[in-house]
């Protein structure tokens, strides 16, 4: 499968035209709604119910809350969403799941397609008919210069906006900053003190006092990478309101470049990128595609050679980012790489006290004894995200169990207590252990040979790569000799189906999981 960025198509509209869309103006869909068949609508509602059940209400409302059934006929289902970014994200992350759920309801379905609502055309026509002053006022967003936050990027929470022109040049779009993520709200401890010091230095230094470039921060999920990156952006903008600061994720960078190339606008985008003072990229492990990585490497070289600051974060060190091109790895390794570890007891207790103070500011009657917080801090030893979840559980229970006991807390938080830091599993480790278990070579595993002695280990390795790593189907396919995502999906479903009735295979899978986890 192509990534969401690579799959993005728009029916001829440019990126700027898509981004000017007003999400609330979707009235042109009303005329089409009458043509939708009753049975199809019923299926659509059941599919949405399944999505909510599988993914949770928060994920569902973020990505699927504004989906509408456009048409369903002759085996083709078309579902509309209000923005091109939503279509790109759903295509890249959830299209297989939606297709699978729809086919369970209607087995004769051939294709499920996500499209952008045609309200874009009418909105643009309405805008063009307005007086120039009205158009200008309606399109004026909050910007880095005015508000101390980056202009909104296309996301489920913020409308996209274009930064104003400065010195005759257009700034580019970045992802929105969360106002909660600042250095003031960032709890420092032994596990992140060095990284915090480096981050503050970057945010507070003048452009001619570059010390750590590029600064590379890495940590497992939930340990505060995003908080620290956004704090750098917020502090830099607070100190230097005129600075061109861009914070974005690797996936958004990929999508932005893909749409610029599609719209023959790549040169303009590159010129805009030359003008930034501080580039911050999150989730670097998701940067994929040779052409996109080449563009990123050119950008990185250009900014570093011009003494512009670059900050990057990922879930592992640069040397372990298997999907990155050697040139990109080499340049990232040339800077300062710092790890953010899991919080120790003192840091966990400080986090809980900070959260309690915030909650008490909203509800003055809230009172949780310190011994309860101490017990939770000792019990939940994983990531900051797990600690946040434990506190939310505690807050919820306290609302109707104000005299909650420590024994009761252990019962409530049993699923997160002592979870520990999650282990990282690499696809290379899976390939090596599976090949050794089945007495085949890794080269054979990645080859095009289709003999039974090779196909079974290959399918098992693909299945384990899907269930034990966060890698997408397209990336797993690339790591198995450049195979298509459908091959990986077939392997996953095949092994899942066989393990239900083949006890020996199920035992083999469990053994391999233990071997791989022990090696991680």
């Amino acid at each position: 499968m192509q990534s969401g960025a690579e799959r993005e198509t728009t029916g001829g509209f440019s990126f700027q035209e898509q981004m000017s869309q007003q999400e609330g103006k979707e009235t042109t869909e009303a005329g089409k709604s009458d043509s939708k068949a009753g049975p199809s609508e019923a299926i659509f509602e059941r599919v949405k119910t399944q999505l909510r059940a599988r993914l949770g209400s928060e994920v569902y409302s973020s990505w699927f809350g504004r989906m509408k059934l456009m048409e369903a006929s002759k085996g083709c289902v078309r579902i509309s969403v209000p923005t091109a970014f939503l279509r790109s994200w759903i295509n890249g992350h959830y299209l297989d799941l939606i297709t699978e759920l729809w086919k369970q309801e209607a087995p004769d379905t051939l294709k499920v397609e996500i499209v952008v609502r045609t309200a874009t055309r009418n909105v643009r026509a309405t805008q063009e008919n307005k007086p120039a002053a009205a158009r200008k006022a309606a399109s004026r967003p909050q910007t880095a210069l005015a508000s101390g936050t980056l202009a909104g990027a296309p996301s489920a929470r913020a409308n996209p906006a274009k930064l104003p022109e400065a010195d005759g040049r257009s700034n580019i779009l970045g992802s929105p900053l969360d106002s909660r993520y600042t250095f003031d709200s960032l709890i420092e401890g032994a596990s992140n003190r060095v990284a915090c010091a480096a981050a503050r230095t970057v945010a507070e230094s003048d452009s001619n006092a570059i010390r750590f470039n590029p600064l590379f921060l890495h940590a497992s999920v939930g340990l505060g990478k995003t908080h620290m990156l956004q704090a750098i952006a917020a502090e830099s903008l607070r100190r230097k309101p005129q600075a061109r600061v861009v914070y974005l994720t690797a996936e958004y960078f990929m999508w932005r470049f893909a749409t610029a190339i599609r719209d023959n606008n790549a040169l303009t985008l590159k010129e805009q990128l030359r003008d930034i003072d501080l580039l911050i990229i999150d989730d670097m492990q998701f940067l994929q595609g040779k052409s996109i990585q080449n563009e990123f490497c050119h950008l990185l070289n250009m900014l570093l050679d011009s003494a512009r600051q670059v900050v990057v974060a990922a879930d592992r060190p640069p040397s372990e980012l298997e999907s990155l091109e050697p040139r990109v790895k080499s340049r990232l390794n040339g800077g300062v790489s710092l790890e953010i570890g899991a919080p120790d007891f003192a840091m966990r207790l400080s986090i809980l006290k900070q959260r309690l103070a915030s909650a008490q500011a909203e509800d003055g009657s809230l009172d949780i004894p310190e011994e309860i917080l101490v017990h939770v801090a000792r019990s939940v030893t994983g990531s900051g995200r797990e600690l946040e979840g434990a506190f939310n559980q505690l807050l919820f229970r306290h609302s109707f169990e104000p005299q909650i006991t420590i024994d009761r807390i252990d019962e409530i938080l049993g699923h997160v207590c002592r979870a520990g830091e999650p282990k990282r599993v690499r696809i290379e480790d899976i390939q090596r252990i599976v090949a050794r278990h089945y007495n085949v070579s890794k080269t054979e595993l990645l080859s095009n040979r289709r003999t039974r002695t090779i196909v079974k280990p290959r399918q098992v390795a693909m299945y384990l790569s899907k269930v034990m790593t966060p890698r997408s189907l397209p990336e797993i396919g690339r790591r198995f000799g450049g195979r298509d995502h459908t091959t990986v999906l077939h392997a996953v479903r095949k092994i899942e189906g066989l393990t239900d009735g083949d006890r020996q295979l199920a035992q083999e899978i469990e053994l391999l999981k233990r071997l791989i986890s022990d090696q991680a």
Side-chain angles (χ1 to χ4, degrees), residues 1-3 288 472-479 483 485:
M1 179 188 288
Q2 294 173 303
S3 70
Q288 300 172 9
S472 63
L473 294 178
E475 183 176 354
I476 294 172
R478 285 193 290 271
R479 305 282 281 283
R483 287 175 164 79
H485 79 283

Side-chain angles (χ1 to χ4, degrees), residues 395-465:
L395 206 60
F396 171 72
R397 294 287 180 171
H398 188 272
S399 62
F400 52 87
E401 293 182 59
Q403 304 302 322
I404 193 168
T405 64
I406 287 179
D407 289 340
R408 179 66 176 137
I409 289 174
D410 287 339
E411 180 183 343
I412 294 169
L413 303 181
H415 63 293
V416 293
C417 286
R418 298 179 178 86
E421 183 177 353
K423 295 182 177 179
R424 302 189 187 111
V425 176
R426 303 189 309 166
I427 290 178
E428 283 78 4
D429 295 330
I430 294 174
Q431 292 170 339
R432 174 173 51 80
I433 292 172
V434 169
R436 185 175 62 196
H437 178 80
Y438 287 103
N439 197 27
V440 299
S441 69
K442 183 177 175 181
T443 302
E444 289 176 316
L445 206 63
L446 306 184
S447 70
N448 292 323
R449 291 183 57 189
R450 298 182 58 81
T451 58
R452 180 178 177 81
T453 55
I454 302 298
V455 170
K456 179 184 176 182
R458 183 185 297 137
Q459 290 180 335
V460 168
M462 288 180 177
Y463 167 78
L464 291 172
S465 297

Side-chain angles (χ1 to χ4, degrees), residues 117-134:
R117 293 201 244 292
T118 53
T120 303
R121 300 173 183 266
N122 291 340
V123 168
R124 278 191 57 78
T126 303
Q127 286 289 97
E128 288 169 358
N129 289 332
K130 289 182 179 180

Side-chain angles (χ1 to χ4, degrees), residues 4 7-15 17-23 25-26 28-29 32 66-71 77-91 113-123 154 255 259 262:
R7 188 188 292 108
E8 184 70 23
T9 56
T10 61
F13 282 94
S14 70
F15 174 79
E17 289 174 320
Q18 297 170 54
M19 304 307 285
S20 66
Q21 176 177 343
Q22 302 291 327
E23 292 184 5
K25 298 182 179 180
E26 298 166 4
T28 55
E29 279 298 297
K32 294 186 177 182
R66 290 168 291 168
M67 288 197 314
K68 293 183 179 181
L69 180 61
M70 196 169 181
E71 62 177 327
V77 177
R78 302 184 76 199
I79 298 172
S80 70
V81 292
T83 68
F85 179 74
L86 267 181
R87 175 183 59 182
S88 174
W89 186 269
I90 293 173
N91 274 338
E113 183 180 7
I114 308 297
V115 299
V116 180
R117 293 201 244 292
T118 53
T120 303
R121 300 173 183 266
N122 291 340
V123 168
W255 177 75
T259 52
R262 183 207 62 216

